[in-house]
């Protein structure tokens, strides 16, 4: 009886208003979910970039140590023709690792404890300054016994500490629930759209029944 006393124009206005509110709410929720998903994607990509830089720096430091050891072997065996090229490779790896360290220190580390980042930075710096640089100096001075002592007593434990810091950073990044959160947001958007379509269809059917009646 209430609907029968209303004009068709008023009923259509009510229906259009309901549609507007319905799809306005759906649009707001969807945009909000997409913004959150974008944020989590940025966080995930940044963490991957940080981990890649950290891993690359660890590999570069180890490669530098390997090249320096090769130089020692070449010098002691009298094969001096390859010394300069191998030493240049070692210097290049050290410089690349230092550049990676600077890049890692400059980039953001979202959802990562500052202590974890600081441990990685400090242990990395120690490998370069207290391990590789003294090895390079003793090698250039041809103090092979001193070189071996530094490699064994300084570089090796410092590098193990650095690798442990890399593993801790990687563990935190792997434990991140970014992908699961994004999947959850996408699932919510799908469900909201399905519900909105069903409600819209119901409103259309009821409106049709009213106009027919």
């Amino acid at each position: 009886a209430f609907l029968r006393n209303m004009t068709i124009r008023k009923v259509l206005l009510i229906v259009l208003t309901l549609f507007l509110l319905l799809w306005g709410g759906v649009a707001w929720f969807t945009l909000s979910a997409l913004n959150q998903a974008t944020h989590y994607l940025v966080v995930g990509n940044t963490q991957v970039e940080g981990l890649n830089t950290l891993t690359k720096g660890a590999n570069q430091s180890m490669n530098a140590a390997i090249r320096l050891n090769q130089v020692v072997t070449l010098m002691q065996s009298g094969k001096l023709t390859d010394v300069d090229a191998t030493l240049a490779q070692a210097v290049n790896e050290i410089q690349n690792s230092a550049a990676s360290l600077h890049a890692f220190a400059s980039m953001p580390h979202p959802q990562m404890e500052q202590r974890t980042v600081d441990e990685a930075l400090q242990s990395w710096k120690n490998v370069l300054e207290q391990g590789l640089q003294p090895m390079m100096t003793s090698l250039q001075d041809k103090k092979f016994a001193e070189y071996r002592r530094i490699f064994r007593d300084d570089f090796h434990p410092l590098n193990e500490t650095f690798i442990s810091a890399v593993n801790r950073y990687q563990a935190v990044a792997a434990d991140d629930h970014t992908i699961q959160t994004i999947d959850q947001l996408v699932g919510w958007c799908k469900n909201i759209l399905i519900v909105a379509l069903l409600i819209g269809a119901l409103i259309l059917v009821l409106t049709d029944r009213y106009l027919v009646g």
Side-chain angles (χ1 to χ4, degrees), residues 60-77:
Q60 289 165 338
S61 296
M62 180 55 68
N63 289 338
I66 292 173
R67 296 290 181 271
L68 289 176
N69 287 339
Q70 290 174 344
V71 171
V72 172
T73 301
L74 290 171
M75 293 177 70
Q76 290 183 325
S77 62

Side-chain angles (χ1 to χ4, degrees), residues 105-154:
S106 302
M107 66 177 56
H109 303 279
Q111 299 185 356
M112 190 73 61
E113 288 187 5
Q114 187 60 41
R115 183 180 64 179
T116 303
V117 178
D118 291 341
E119 287 177 352
L121 285 170
Q122 188 58 51
S123 59
W124 192 349
K125 186 177 181 181
N126 290 342
V127 167
L128 291 173
E129 295 182 354
Q130 300 176 28
L132 291 174
Q133 290 298 341
M135 287 167 61
M136 176 70 74
T137 300
S138 61
L139 177 60
Q140 291 172 338
D141 294 338
K142 297 182 180 181
K143 297 178 179 179
F144 300 126
E146 179 69 9
Y147 173 90
R148 286 190 290 270
R149 185 199 64 78
I150 295 172
F151 177 76
R152 181 185 65 250
D153 298 338
D154 295 336

Side-chain angles (χ1 to χ4, degrees), residues 33-49 109-112 169-188:
L34 288 175
N35 284 335
Q36 292 184 53
T38 300
H39 167 72
Y40 284 113
L41 281 173
V42 171
V43 169
N45 290 336
T46 303
Q47 286 184 343
V48 169
E49 183 182 359
H109 303 279
Q111 299 185 356
M112 190 73 61
Y169 189 101
Q170 184 177 17
V172 174
D175 192 50
D176 184 65
H177 301 291
T178 298
I179 300 300
Q180 295 89 327
T181 302
I182 293 174
D183 290 340
Q184 187 179 45
L185 290 170
V186 172
W188 286 351

